[in-house]
Amino acid sequence: MKKLLVLLVALLSIAIFAAPTHLVIFHINDTHGHVWPYGEYHNPDIGGFARIATLVNQERAVNDNVLFLHAGDVNTGVPESDQLDAIPDFVALHYMGVDAMALGNHEFDNPLSTTFMQQRYAGFPFLSANFVTKDGRQLFKPYIIKNVGGVKVAILGVTTEQTQVLEPLHLNGGKFLNVEETVKKYLPELKKKADIVVVLGHLGYGKDDQPLGVKYTTSDQLAKDVKGIDIIIDGHSHTLMNKAAYINKTIVVQAGEWGKYLGRLDLWVENGKIVDYEWAAIPINLKKYLGKDENGHSKYEYVTEPIPEDPFIKMIADYYYSLGAEELNKVVGETKILLDGERAHVRSGDTNLGHLITDALIWKTGADVALQNGGGIRASIQPGPITYRDILTVLPFGNTTYVFEMTGADLMKVLEYAATIPAGKGAWLHVGGMTYKIKDKKPVDVMVNGKPIDLKATYKVAANNYIAGGGDGYKMLKGLKGFDTGFVLADVVKEYIQHLGTIENYDNAPRVVVEK
């Protein structure tokens, strides 16, 4: 009997020690300033870092083998965050226990000194193996290795090569090396040091176009072309995946945008190998709209059980929200003249404010031409100090900046439509970098940067994402080769006004002339 008990204990011990190690990797991406809960059409009070923290902490309470990763683009999107250089985001992420972040393209919206400051507040490493200075130096760690429950996990960060064009302003000659070549360079080293290799990439999933001649690597392409990667945790394309992709024995995941979802990847690892996995994107208090009740109030039901806010992270978020709100009232520039955004004026002709907005788009993106619908300009800026709140009053919709690659013939189709728009309509077009006349409801004498338009030439064109998506009847723009930079239009205008300083005068010469 005693021998039998000893045998049973030995067998039980073997079974216990042979059991696969269970790891959980939580991940988010493209949060873009959405520290706080927010609302969308028929979906109020969703997201928020404090709710994400609740889910992560619930798992940590029962499992020591947890990693938490961010796949990039913390910066740019919510004014209360933008005003504080995303410090609310990074402080909250620090106390949420994030282990590492891949640098996204929007981490280069600011000078590199700001990015380094953000990393100090974050307290976790910003990773990018393929960003180098003009003299070839690495400024950020290429990878880290974490020991999670006895499993060594290498986390290699890479950033989309698109950043070279999307955010050229603060690179100081820095460049982004080819992602595939970079990953191939590090893989042998990581395979020796770690059991599992995770590429934490801000790359984008499933894009097959290469706008503006920028060749860039997508996560699915990387998985297909490079063998030996165990997992790719991705961002950049804001893709909400229904299930994990499994490409060339590589697990590829991405969890939408703005903290609407928390990605959860469960791994079972045995002898340094992944033997099983599960993945899900967990909705953060998303709701289903059920229509109106008898009193006309909207009715909703939660998609999953409602998630409470972690009180500590909520306290941090609330504190910084009040600071960010105060920042909106700080002066960013001054104008000695009225910047005319009156409804009747911006919907029927040129104004100096319309010119300033389109010029700001060109200044920020390096575009040849900029387009802005008059209906998107909602107020004037009076002479005197200019605050960011003033700019948000002019541009209240949160539109982002879209950049196209267009031929002169494509551009003419835009102008042909614009020429038919009667005065008073929101679709009235303001332009930068070009002039033209409207005669008999047709565009004539079209000049781009002082030269006659070339129908066969290719132009870089910037516009707000509303008309880029076909809004206000600009259907000819929808589907053209291009990309959303993520730059909030109001932020672009704010930065341009800061660049200008005191506005003594501004170009008021008509760029669009309607001939009688």
Side-chain angles (χ1 to χ4, degrees), residues 113 164 181 319 324 356 422:
S113 59
Q164 203 82 36
E181 293 175 4
Y319 169 71
L356 186 147

Side-chain angles (χ1 to χ4, degrees), residues 246-431:
Y246 193 65
I247 304 169
N248 200 15
K249 298 184 179 180
T250 299
I251 302 163
V252 184
V253 294
Q254 191 179 150
E257 63 179 6
W258 298 359
K260 294 178 196 176
Y261 296 86
L262 171 65
R264 174 177 174 145
L265 178 61
D266 287 74
L267 301 171
W268 287 268
V269 181
E270 193 169 16
N271 298 322
K273 303 291 182 183
I274 298 171
V275 294
D276 199 5
Y277 72 92
E278 292 177 359
W279 181 81
I282 304 168
I284 307 300
N285 280 19
L286 267 65
K287 303 167 187 71
K288 181 180 179 182
Y289 176 64
L290 301 177
K292 303 280 188 180
D293 63 17
E294 62 275 8
N295 297 316
H297 300 134
S298 295
K299 296 189 299 180
Y300 306 92
E301 68 177 14
Y302 284 91
V303 174
T304 57
E305 286 295 313
I307 303 163
E309 292 182 288
D310 178 273
F312 182 61
I313 301 302
K314 183 180 186 304
M315 179 184 70
I316 293 170
D318 289 349
Y319 169 71
Y320 278 110
Y321 190 87
S322 65
L323 292 185
E326 288 178 18
E327 287 291 316
L328 297 182
N329 294 321
K330 288 192 174 179
V331 173
V332 299
E334 183 180 3
T335 178
K336 301 289 189 181
I337 58 170
L338 173 72
L339 297 172
D340 185 2
E342 294 303 308
R343 179 186 178 95
H345 299 164
V346 296
R347 293 175 180 233
S348 60
D350 284 27
T351 75
N352 57 359
L353 183 54
H355 292 173
L356 186 147
I357 292 168
T358 52
D359 291 349
L361 286 169
I362 291 173
W363 172 80
K364 182 69 172 179
T365 65
D368 301 301
V369 172
L371 311 173
Q372 167 69 33
N373 58 316
I377 304 171
R378 310 298 286 191
S380 296
I381 298 177
Q382 301 296 324
I386 303 170
T387 66
Y388 186 50
R389 196 177 294 279
D390 293 328
I391 297 168
L392 289 173
T393 304
V394 174
L395 300 165
F397 299 118
N399 293 127
T400 52
T401 302
Y402 205 93
V403 174
F404 296 98
E405 185 179 67
M406 297 173 64
T407 64
D410 292 331
L411 196 49
M412 282 301 296
K413 290 176 183 176
V414 176
L415 302 185
E416 285 164 4
Y417 168 70
T420 67
I421 297 165
K425 296 294 184 182
W428 182 272
L429 191 64
H430 295 255
V431 298

Side-chain angles (χ1 to χ4, degrees), residues 195-240:
D195 301 305
I196 295 172
V197 175
V198 177
V199 171
L200 185 60
H202 192 80
L203 302 177
Y205 183 86
K207 291 186 175 183
D208 57 4
D209 61 328
Q210 302 286 316
L212 303 180
V214 183
K215 182 170 174 51
Y216 63 96
T217 307
T218 59
S219 56
D220 49 315
Q221 178 187 341
L222 178 64
K224 182 180 177 182
D225 293 348
V226 180
K227 291 182 179 180
I229 304 168
D230 295 297
I231 301 162
I232 299 175
I233 293 176
D234 193 27
H236 188 47
S237 56
H238 298 217
T239 303
L240 175 62

Side-chain angles (χ1 to χ4, degrees), residues 406-409 453-459:
M406 297 173 64
T407 64
I453 190 169
D454 183 344
L455 299 182
K456 294 182 180 180
T458 299
Y459 297 101

Side-chain angles (χ1 to χ4, degrees), residues 464-499:
N464 66 63
N465 66 334
Y466 172 67
I467 61 171
D472 264 346
Y474 287 94
K475 296 178 181 178
M476 73 296 298
L477 292 176
K478 193 172 183 179
L480 286 178
K481 188 177 287 189
F483 55 87
D484 195 326
T485 67
F487 292 137
V488 177
L489 181 56
D491 287 345
V492 172
V493 172
K494 181 194 78 169
E495 291 172 18
Y496 184 57
I497 288 173
Q498 288 174 323
H499 167 72

